[in-house]
Amino acid sequence: MPANTNTNMKLHRINALLIRHLYLYQRSVPRLMDIFFWPILELLLWGFLSAYLEKFSLADFSVVTVLLGAIIFWDLMSQSQRTISTTFLEEVWERNLLNIFVTPLKLGEFLISSILIAVVRIVVVGAMMAGLAWFLYQFNFLGFGLYLIPFMINLLVFGWTLGFFTTGIILRFGSAAQVLAFGLVFLLQPFSAVFYPVSVLPQPLQYLAQILPATHVFEGMRAVIATGSLPVVKLFWAFGTNIFYLVLVLWFFKRMFARVKNKGMLMKLD
């Protein structure tokens, strides 16, 4: 495989990959369902359940706000993770991975284009779910105010981190590990305090929950709803753990990619 001597990132290469993957959505019903159908179905299910539970809620506590806020936040993180993983798998499934990496394309450019694709999907899904939640349940997703921004950033970064991790695992173990691209995020859901506080978990699982950035985001979101103030400590832990995991996972991904490339196994990842 020819060595890549170009050390500078080029925006036109990132843009080319971005356009390539966006075009795939034009004629793919499964891809469009992943953006529109499944998030809407999930919102309807949890939304109507929340509206029902609201009848039994205590004063000054909104079940709709807590549950719908949690499901929208969680779905955006899940979209972030899946987009990173499936962007890589698209190239594997179409046996195109070797083709794009014999070009001057750098690994960093590939990763950045994957993140941009995730951002596009998250904007579309987020706007759709927020609009539908307002129309059906009068839930104002923007009611969190500016506090929404740091929480969202942390969830998206954690989603990217999980996506890069699953991709690295696929590089290491091949197609047998592809199920992680769609299942890993749900394995973490019970420990991420999405719909309930960490305190309801058994003590050993509480320690596990505290090392997940998503836990601090959802706990922080509930604190905003309850107090109207920004929980700085939760935000600090979310950013700190996110940075640690992202650096670690990018190092892992780079090593796994270099291993596969050096062994000439890019064509065997189907």
Side-chain angles (χ1 to χ4, degrees):
M1 183 176 299
N4 188 346
T5 58
N6 187 354
T7 59
N8 297 318
M9 285 195 181
K10 299 295 184 181
L11 291 178
H12 69 272
R13 293 198 289 257
I14 297 173
N15 187 56
L17 276 181
L18 178 62
I19 292 174
R20 162 180 155 67
H21 282 275
L22 291 179
Y23 273 132
L24 292 175
Y25 288 90
Q26 290 185 339
R27 299 180 183 141
S28 174
V29 173
R31 292 184 183 94
L32 292 176
M33 287 181 66
D34 195 37
I35 293 178
F36 296 103
F37 180 76
W38 298 117
I40 290 176
L41 186 65
E42 196 170 44
L43 182 67
L44 292 175
L45 173 65
W46 285 94
F48 289 128
L49 175 62
S50 302
Y52 172 72
L53 293 176
E54 181 77 2
K55 298 177 182 178
F56 307 99
S57 63
L58 300 175
D60 301 323
F61 180 81
S62 174
V63 175
V64 171
T65 299
V66 172
L67 288 185
L68 282 189
I71 197 62
I72 292 175
F73 272 54
W74 177 261
D75 198 79
L76 294 181
M77 190 188 85
S78 178
Q79 287 282 340
S80 177
Q81 180 267 319
R82 288 202 308 273
T83 304
I84 295 292
S85 300
T86 55
T87 298
F88 174 82
L89 287 173
E90 292 282 2
E91 308 296 354
V92 173
W93 294 330
E94 297 181 18
R95 298 177 180 270
N96 194 44
L97 203 59
L98 181 63
N99 295 334
I100 65 174
F101 281 109
V102 296
T103 69
L105 180 75
K106 293 177 63 64
L107 182 60
E109 293 168 343
F110 179 81
L111 296 181
I112 290 174
S113 70
S114 300
I115 289 174
L116 292 177
I117 295 166
V119 169
V120 172
R121 280 188 55 160
I122 288 161
V123 169
V124 173
V125 172
M128 175 191 65
M129 294 186 74
L132 195 58
W134 171 258
F135 178 74
L136 292 176
Y137 315 112
Q138 290 72 55
F139 170 72
N140 183 10
F141 185 55
L142 300 178
F144 295 98
L146 294 178
Y147 298 152
L148 179 73
I149 297 174
F151 286 132
M152 284 297 304
I153 291 174
N154 273 286
L155 281 182
L156 300 188
V157 171
F158 190 48
W160 301 338
T161 300
L162 293 176
F164 293 139
F165 176 70
T166 56
T167 304
I169 293 293
I170 293 169
L171 283 169
R172 175 63 180 83
F173 295 102
S175 59
Q178 290 184 17
V179 65
L180 287 176
F182 307 97
L184 178 63
V185 69
F186 294 104
L187 294 178
L188 298 179
Q189 190 180 62
F191 317 110
S192 298
V194 182
F195 305 112
Y196 43 77
V198 173
S199 58
V200 306
L201 296 173
Q203 191 64 45
L205 294 182
Q206 290 186 29
Y207 296 128
L208 173 61
Q210 294 296 342
I211 66 174
L212 298 175
T215 300
H216 300 286
V217 171
F218 288 107
E219 288 276 81
M221 182 192 73
R222 283 188 288 271
V224 170
I225 295 172
T227 67
S229 60
L230 182 66
V232 177
V233 175
K234 293 293 183 185
L235 202 56
F236 171 81
W237 277 103
F239 273 115
T241 50
N242 250 332
I243 292 171
F244 173 76
Y245 290 133
L246 181 60
V247 171
L248 185 65
V249 165
L250 286 177
W251 171 82
F252 169 72
F253 179 84
K254 186 176 180 181
R255 286 205 60 178
M256 292 301 99
F257 184 84
R259 176 182 178 273
V260 169
K261 184 177 178 181
N262 292 336
K263 291 188 175 184
M265 297 170 60
L266 288 178
M267 285 288 290
K268 300 178 181 179
L269 288 173
D270 50 28

